[in-house]
mmCIF file of all heavy atoms in Angstrom:
data_model
loop_
_atom_site.group_PDB
_atom_site.id
_atom_site.type_symbol
_atom_site.label_atom_id
_atom_site.label_comp_id
_atom_site.label_asym_id
_atom_site.label_seq_id
_atom_site.Cartn_x
_atom_site.Cartn_y
_atom_site.Cartn_z
ATOM 1 N N HIS Y 61 -15.139 18.863 75.029
ATOM 2 C CA HIS Y 61 -13.979 18.555 74.182
ATOM 3 C C HIS Y 61 -13.117 17.493 74.858
ATOM 4 O O HIS Y 61 -12.879 17.541 76.057
ATOM 5 C CB HIS Y 61 -13.161 19.822 73.930
ATOM 6 C CG HIS Y 61 -12.228 19.717 72.770
ATOM 7 N ND1 HIS Y 61 -11.074 18.951 72.803
ATOM 8 C CD2 HIS Y 61 -12.284 20.272 71.526
ATOM 9 C CE1 HIS Y 61 -10.456 19.058 71.636
ATOM 10 N NE2 HIS Y 61 -11.155 19.844 70.851
ATOM 11 N N ARG Y 62 -12.617 16.556 74.093
ATOM 12 C CA ARG Y 62 -11.874 15.439 74.663
ATOM 13 C C ARG Y 62 -10.604 15.889 75.386
ATOM 14 O O ARG Y 62 -10.165 15.254 76.355
ATOM 15 C CB ARG Y 62 -11.534 14.416 73.584
ATOM 16 C CG ARG Y 62 -10.638 14.927 72.469
ATOM 17 C CD ARG Y 62 -10.526 13.926 71.346
ATOM 18 N NE ARG Y 62 -10.012 12.637 71.832
ATOM 19 C CZ ARG Y 62 -9.904 11.556 71.055
ATOM 20 N NH1 ARG Y 62 -10.306 11.601 69.785
ATOM 21 N NH2 ARG Y 62 -9.408 10.443 71.545
ATOM 22 N N VAL Y 63 -10.004 17.009 74.973
ATOM 23 C CA VAL Y 63 -8.804 17.518 75.632
ATOM 24 C C VAL Y 63 -9.100 17.892 77.083
ATOM 25 O O VAL Y 63 -8.232 17.765 77.961
ATOM 26 C CB VAL Y 63 -8.228 18.721 74.855
ATOM 27 C CG1 VAL Y 63 -7.207 19.494 75.693
ATOM 28 C CG2 VAL Y 63 -7.575 18.258 73.564
ATOM 29 N N MET Y 64 -10.331 18.333 77.360
ATOM 30 C CA MET Y 64 -10.683 18.759 78.707
ATOM 31 C C MET Y 64 -10.631 17.609 79.716
ATOM 32 O O MET Y 64 -10.504 17.830 80.913
ATOM 33 C CB MET Y 64 -12.078 19.386 78.712
ATOM 34 C CG MET Y 64 -12.152 20.752 78.044
ATOM 35 S SD MET Y 64 -11.132 21.987 78.897
ATOM 36 C CE MET Y 64 -11.951 22.043 80.487
ATOM 37 N N ARG Y 65 -10.708 16.397 79.247
ATOM 38 C CA ARG Y 65 -10.662 15.258 80.171
ATOM 39 C C ARG Y 65 -9.259 15.039 80.731
ATOM 40 O O ARG Y 65 -9.114 14.455 81.805
ATOM 41 C CB ARG Y 65 -11.133 13.981 79.461
ATOM 42 C CG ARG Y 65 -12.597 13.995 79.079
ATOM 43 C CD ARG Y 65 -13.096 12.605 78.772
ATOM 44 N NE ARG Y 65 -12.467 12.019 77.601
ATOM 45 C CZ ARG Y 65 -12.952 12.132 76.367
ATOM 46 N NH1 ARG Y 65 -14.078 12.815 76.147
ATOM 47 N NH2 ARG Y 65 -12.340 11.571 75.350
ATOM 48 N N ARG Y 66 -8.247 15.489 80.006
ATOM 49 C CA ARG Y 66 -6.872 15.208 80.413
ATOM 50 C C ARG Y 66 -6.052 16.461 80.736
ATOM 51 O O ARG Y 66 -5.133 16.399 81.539
ATOM 52 C CB ARG Y 66 -6.138 14.432 79.307
ATOM 53 C CG ARG Y 66 -6.828 13.191 78.829
ATOM 54 C CD ARG Y 66 -5.981 12.428 77.800
ATOM 55 N NE ARG Y 66 -5.512 13.293 76.725
ATOM 56 C CZ ARG Y 66 -6.214 13.567 75.622
ATOM 57 N NH1 ARG Y 66 -7.435 13.099 75.490
ATOM 58 N NH2 ARG Y 66 -5.721 14.335 74.681
ATOM 59 N N ARG Y 67 -6.392 17.576 80.119
ATOM 60 C CA ARG Y 67 -5.519 18.742 80.218
ATOM 61 C C ARG Y 67 -6.287 20.011 80.583
ATOM 62 O O ARG Y 67 -5.943 21.108 80.155
ATOM 63 C CB ARG Y 67 -4.770 18.924 78.893
ATOM 64 C CG ARG Y 67 -3.975 17.701 78.488
ATOM 65 C CD ARG Y 67 -3.260 17.866 77.146
ATOM 66 N NE ARG Y 67 -2.220 18.872 77.185
ATOM 67 C CZ ARG Y 67 -1.450 19.191 76.129
ATOM 68 N NH1 ARG Y 67 -1.629 18.565 74.968
ATOM 69 N NH2 ARG Y 67 -0.521 20.122 76.238
ATOM 70 N N ALA Y 68 -7.329 19.852 81.396
ATOM 71 C CA ALA Y 68 -8.173 20.997 81.743
ATOM 72 C C ALA Y 68 -7.373 22.098 82.430
ATOM 73 O O ALA Y 68 -7.595 23.293 82.183
ATOM 74 C CB ALA Y 68 -9.327 20.547 82.637
ATOM 75 N N ALA Y 69 -6.448 21.727 83.312
ATOM 76 C CA ALA Y 69 -5.668 22.737 84.029
ATOM 77 C C ALA Y 69 -4.834 23.574 83.062
ATOM 78 O O ALA Y 69 -4.671 24.792 83.260
ATOM 79 C CB ALA Y 69 -4.774 22.069 85.067
ATOM 80 N N GLU Y 70 -4.321 22.946 82.011
ATOM 81 C CA GLU Y 70 -3.537 23.694 81.026
ATOM 82 C C GLU Y 70 -4.423 24.648 80.230
ATOM 83 O O GLU Y 70 -4.009 25.777 79.905
ATOM 84 C CB GLU Y 70 -2.838 22.724 80.078
ATOM 85 C CG GLU Y 70 -1.773 21.863 80.736
ATOM 86 C CD GLU Y 70 -1.233 20.824 79.771
ATOM 87 O OE1 GLU Y 70 -0.574 21.213 78.784
ATOM 88 O OE2 GLU Y 70 -1.488 19.623 79.987
ATOM 89 N N VAL Y 71 -5.636 24.201 79.916
ATOM 90 C CA VAL Y 71 -6.567 25.080 79.199
ATOM 91 C C VAL Y 71 -6.930 26.278 80.075
ATOM 92 O O VAL Y 71 -6.995 27.414 79.604
ATOM 93 C CB VAL Y 71 -7.830 24.308 78.775
ATOM 94 C CG1 VAL Y 71 -8.799 25.243 78.042
ATOM 95 C CG2 VAL Y 71 -7.471 23.128 77.868
ATOM 96 N N THR Y 72 -7.154 26.044 81.358
ATOM 97 C CA THR Y 72 -7.449 27.131 82.295
ATOM 98 C C THR Y 72 -6.305 28.136 82.335
ATOM 99 O O THR Y 72 -6.522 29.351 82.291
ATOM 100 C CB THR Y 72 -7.702 26.568 83.706
ATOM 101 O OG1 THR Y 72 -8.868 25.746 83.685
ATOM 102 C CG2 THR Y 72 -7.899 27.685 84.716
ATOM 103 N N SER Y 73 -5.084 27.643 82.433
ATOM 104 C CA SER Y 73 -3.917 28.525 82.497
ATOM 105 C C SER Y 73 -3.777 29.357 81.223
ATOM 106 O O SER Y 73 -3.514 30.561 81.274
ATOM 107 C CB SER Y 73 -2.658 27.685 82.729
ATOM 108 O OG SER Y 73 -1.517 28.505 82.758
ATOM 109 N N GLU Y 74 -3.968 28.711 80.070
ATOM 110 C CA GLU Y 74 -3.848 29.426 78.806
ATOM 111 C C GLU Y 74 -4.971 30.440 78.648
ATOM 112 O O GLU Y 74 -4.764 31.555 78.139
ATOM 113 C CB GLU Y 74 -3.851 28.438 77.646
ATOM 114 C CG GLU Y 74 -3.561 29.043 76.290
ATOM 115 C CD GLU Y 74 -2.153 29.599 76.140
ATOM 116 O OE1 GLU Y 74 -1.261 29.250 76.947
ATOM 117 O OE2 GLU Y 74 -1.927 30.386 75.197
ATOM 118 N N SER Y 75 -6.165 30.077 79.092
ATOM 119 C CA SER Y 75 -7.292 31.000 79.034
ATOM 120 C C SER Y 75 -7.021 32.241 79.884
ATOM 121 O O SER Y 75 -7.320 33.370 79.472
ATOM 122 C CB SER Y 75 -8.561 30.301 79.525
ATOM 123 O OG SER Y 75 -9.620 31.211 79.664
ATOM 124 N N ALA Y 76 -6.455 32.048 81.068
ATOM 125 C CA ALA Y 76 -6.135 33.182 81.941
ATOM 126 C C ALA Y 76 -5.128 34.109 81.280
ATOM 127 O O ALA Y 76 -5.262 35.340 81.335
ATOM 128 C CB ALA Y 76 -5.602 32.680 83.277
ATOM 129 N N LEU Y 77 -4.107 33.529 80.655
ATOM 130 C CA LEU Y 77 -3.082 34.332 79.985
ATOM 131 C C LEU Y 77 -3.687 35.133 78.833
ATOM 132 O O LEU Y 77 -3.454 36.348 78.709
ATOM 133 C CB LEU Y 77 -1.971 33.425 79.474
ATOM 134 C CG LEU Y 77 -0.843 34.127 78.713
ATOM 135 C CD1 LEU Y 77 -0.017 34.984 79.659
ATOM 136 C CD2 LEU Y 77 0.059 33.104 78.013
ATOM 137 N N ARG Y 78 -4.468 34.466 77.995
ATOM 138 C CA ARG Y 78 -5.049 35.148 76.838
ATOM 139 C C ARG Y 78 -6.084 36.186 77.259
ATOM 140 O O ARG Y 78 -6.191 37.259 76.650
ATOM 141 C CB ARG Y 78 -5.653 34.113 75.879
ATOM 142 C CG ARG Y 78 -4.583 33.234 75.234
ATOM 143 C CD ARG Y 78 -5.160 32.133 74.364
ATOM 144 N NE ARG Y 78 -4.082 31.300 73.834
ATOM 145 C CZ ARG Y 78 -3.898 31.011 72.543
ATOM 146 N NH1 ARG Y 78 -4.745 31.474 71.648
ATOM 147 N NH2 ARG Y 78 -2.887 30.248 72.175
ATOM 148 N N GLY Y 79 -6.832 35.874 78.307
ATOM 149 C CA GLY Y 79 -7.789 36.839 78.815
ATOM 150 C C GLY Y 79 -7.101 38.071 79.380
ATOM 151 O O GLY Y 79 -7.547 39.200 79.160
ATOM 152 N N ALA Y 80 -6.010 37.870 80.106
ATOM 153 C CA ALA Y 80 -5.264 39.004 80.667
ATOM 154 C C ALA Y 80 -4.677 39.863 79.560
ATOM 155 O O ALA Y 80 -4.718 41.103 79.631
ATOM 156 C CB ALA Y 80 -4.169 38.491 81.587
ATOM 157 N N ARG Y 81 -4.114 39.237 78.537
ATOM 158 C CA ARG Y 81 -3.556 39.999 77.420
ATOM 159 C C ARG Y 81 -4.636 40.862 76.763
ATOM 160 O O ARG Y 81 -4.435 42.044 76.479
ATOM 161 C CB ARG Y 81 -2.954 39.057 76.381
ATOM 162 C CG ARG Y 81 -2.152 39.803 75.295
ATOM 163 C CD ARG Y 81 -2.340 39.216 73.916
ATOM 164 N NE ARG Y 81 -3.650 39.487 73.375
ATOM 165 C CZ ARG Y 81 -4.009 40.635 72.780
ATOM 166 N NH1 ARG Y 81 -3.143 41.642 72.672
ATOM 167 N NH2 ARG Y 81 -5.228 40.806 72.308
ATOM 168 N N ALA Y 82 -5.813 40.258 76.544
ATOM 169 C CA ALA Y 82 -6.901 40.989 75.896
ATOM 170 C C ALA Y 82 -7.430 42.105 76.789
ATOM 171 O O ALA Y 82 -7.742 43.202 76.310
ATOM 172 C CB ALA Y 82 -8.023 40.017 75.538
ATOM 173 N N SER Y 83 -7.533 41.853 78.088
ATOM 174 C CA SER Y 83 -8.024 42.885 79.012
ATOM 175 C C SER Y 83 -7.067 44.071 79.045
ATOM 176 O O SER Y 83 -7.493 45.236 79.065
ATOM 177 C CB SER Y 83 -8.212 42.295 80.413
ATOM 178 O OG SER Y 83 -8.943 43.162 81.241
ATOM 179 N N ALA Y 84 -5.774 43.789 79.045
ATOM 180 C CA ALA Y 84 -4.785 44.870 79.002
ATOM 181 C C ALA Y 84 -4.885 45.638 77.689
ATOM 182 O O ALA Y 84 -4.757 46.873 77.673
ATOM 183 C CB ALA Y 84 -3.378 44.303 79.181
#
Side-chain angles (χ1 to χ4, degrees):
H61 198 288
R62 62 189 302 175
V63 165
M64 289 297 297
R65 293 197 295 269
R66 307 184 309 274
R67 303 178 66 180
E70 294 174 67
V71 179
T72 296
S73 178
E74 187 66 17
S75 171
L77 178 69
R78 293 176 183 233
R81 189 219 72 82
S83 193

